[in-house]
Amino acid sequence: MSEKLFLYPTWLRVWHALNAIFFLVLLITGISMQYSNPNWILVPFDLAVASHNVSGIIILISYLFYLFFFFTTSNRRHYNIVFKELGKRLAMQIRYYVFGVFKNEEAPYPTSWNMKFNPLQQITYVGVMFVLYPVLIITGIALLFPELIIDNFFGIGGTLLTALLHASTGFLVSMFLIIHLYFATMGATFFANFKSIITGYHEVH
Amino acid sequence: MAKIYKTSCFLIVLLTLCIYGNAQQNQQCLKCHGQVFYQYDNEWTGKVDKRPMNPFYHIDSVKMHISVHKEFSCTDCHRPDYETFPHSGELRMEEKYACIDCHGGDDNFAKYNFEGIEQAFMESVHFKANDDKFNCWMCHDPHGYQLALRGQESIKDVVSLSNQMCLDCHTNKFKFGLISDEMPKDIAETHNWLPNQPNHFENVRCIDCHTQVQSDLLVSHKILPKEEALKNCVKCHSANSVLMESLYSHRVKESREESGFINAAILNEGYMIGANRNLALNYVSVILFGMLLIGLLIHFILRLTIKNKK
């Protein structure tokens, strides 16, 4: 029997579930609109627009919910980046993923109560949650109310720039999603991490 | 040389006089028809009477001044007998010119294809339901029509001028009532299925949905029955948007710059979901995504095979 840590409190799991479901809706409808074509329909356009808008608003609300608990609970500790020797630690982690895993080496920064992320995870999670998400949300709100956008930004349409930024950021977060899902299979067992985010308990190797 | 100079001077003076003369002449009518009130000497009482001008007979002289027929004097289209007031009662029976009377078979206007327009108009719902009661002037204000698609710089102005031609009647029960016994339906309500309907009506013309593109006309005039109107979003919101052949056709021909965007012609003014894509970004994203998937797949296979060995 392996040791268990209670790492994912209820609020976090609720947020994670909402975020996961509605991000998938946004991803599918977003691709469907961006590459809309009369002969090839993923989601009917009007349905895609409506559900993209609704899901976007739900994601915004759940993001605010997340921020509230982030600032009021100790969960925030996982996001404190220590910059000392950061490069070296990142390199260690990357070396582990590229070579170490195959040799059944010990993970250099195993999950613990004080730090659930390894350095690489920490950097990407901070990047996604506090850089990419705000950009997505702000550009999304702007596109929902296009009259808010400045018409002309140094000769380029403001809506165009906003839409480009929105789509590119959405693309980056979708890349993150794929990586996130793949790395989730590298827990104690193939499905262990998927179980954890439902039960809240992390199984240590 | 001197002769040419003299003649052209003479012509210029003549032209100026002519325009000035028209303006003078029009002023004679506009002193009443251009005002909210008009005055006349009442010969019976010897007083000056002041009356409100019927708003439907009011003519906006500023609009007239920028319209396609700005060079005209009123009496080019109306009988000169109108110069007297009170106008003779019979004058209201005067037959008005149709566009085709002046423009038909004239090479100067061949590019507009007036004959083709008339043909298309005769197949429109308006003409089919009302015959001659509905004519070109119903949409083309004889005292204010300006070219929209050919004449305006910005797409928003094209759209607003063109749509006003329809809305002037479809939102005005008095004008609508000249033709129909029914009340006009609320346009915002009948189009509430369009998300952000006001924004759509600023960026796209009524006729872009209510007519089909006709290759021989820049502006198709065959208004279709409402059942055949365009409701499929993707016809506009896609790489091969129908708008490229209608609202934007003029620009597409004018500018084919290689900006790396699909349908770049639209971009000067706005952005249309699904119709504007940046090709470079498209390739970059496909490549990045492919590389990521391949990388993860290799990692996964290695994980499986090496684990199995142990």
Side-chain angles (χ1 to χ4, degrees), chain A residues 122-178:
Chain A
Q122 202 191 28
I123 290 283
T124 42
Y125 283 39
V126 168
V128 169
M129 291 312 299
F130 297 102
V131 180
L132 297 184
Y133 251 63
V135 171
L136 261 184
I137 288 173
I138 290 166
T139 52
I141 292 173
L143 290 170
L144 201 54
F145 302 100
E147 55 276 13
L148 295 179
I149 302 176
I150 33 170
D151 276 341
N152 199 305
F153 190 79
F154 297 112
I156 310 175
T159 319
L160 168 69
L161 281 183
T162 318
L164 275 183
L165 193 58
H166 189 72
S168 316
T169 318
F171 172 74
L172 292 181
V173 181
S174 309
M175 296 269 280
F176 166 77
L177 172 65
I178 307 273

Side-chain angles (χ1 to χ4, degrees), chain A residues 34-36 97 102 182 185, chain B residues 237 277 282 299-300 303 306:
Chain A
Q34 174 79 357
Y35 297 101
S36 62
Y97 280 139
F102 304 124
Y182 179 72
T185 67
Chain B
H237 288 279
R277 293 169 205 166
N282 257 9
H299 198 268
F300 184 61
R303 246 169 83 198
I306 294 177

Side-chain angles (χ1 to χ4, degrees), chain A residues 20 44 52 63 78 125 159 162 167 205:
Chain A
H52 200 83
Y63 183 68
H78 300 297
Y125 283 39
T159 319
T162 318
H205 280 257

Side-chain angles (χ1 to χ4, degrees), chain A residues 33-38 45-46 49 97-98 101-104 144 146-147 152 157 159-160 163-164 168 171 174-175 178-179 182-183 185-186 190, chain B residues 195-196 199 233-235 237-240 261 267 270-271 273-274 276-278 281-282 284-285 288-289 292-293 296 299-300 302-303 306-307 310:
Chain A
M33 286 189 288
Q34 174 79 357
Y35 297 101
S36 62
N37 181 322
F45 193 86
D46 44 350
V49 169
Y97 280 139
V98 178
V101 251
F102 304 124
K103 301 186 195 149
N104 273 345
L144 201 54
E147 55 276 13
N152 199 305
T159 319
L160 168 69
L164 275 183
S168 316
F171 172 74
S174 309
M175 296 269 280
I178 307 273
I179 299 172
Y182 179 72
F183 277 63
T185 67
M186 289 170 61
F190 195 83
Chain B
N196 208 341
N199 192 48
C233 325
V234 182
K235 288 272 187 215
H237 288 279
S238 63
N240 48 351
F261 278 97
L267 289 177
Y271 165 82
I273 305 173
N276 297 130
R277 293 169 205 166
N278 185 292
L281 278 183
N282 257 9
V284 170
S285 59
L288 280 180
F289 201 73
L292 175 67
L293 284 187
L296 292 183
H299 198 268
F300 184 61
L302 286 179
R303 246 169 83 198
I306 294 177
K307 272 228 173 92
K310 298 217 161 137

Side-chain angles (χ1 to χ4, degrees), chain A residues 64-77:
Chain A
L64 295 177
F65 174 84
Y66 167 85
L67 283 186
F68 173 78
F69 283 100
F70 178 85
F71 286 114
T72 53
T73 66
S74 64
N75 191 61
R76 166 169 97 246
R77 68 185 183 277

Side-chain angles (χ1 to χ4, degrees), chain B residues 224-240:
Chain B
L224 301 162
K226 61 182 175 199
E227 294 79 18
E228 291 171 41
L230 181 61
K231 206 171 186 172
N232 185 353
C233 325
V234 182
K235 288 272 187 215
C236 289
H237 288 279
S238 63
N240 48 351

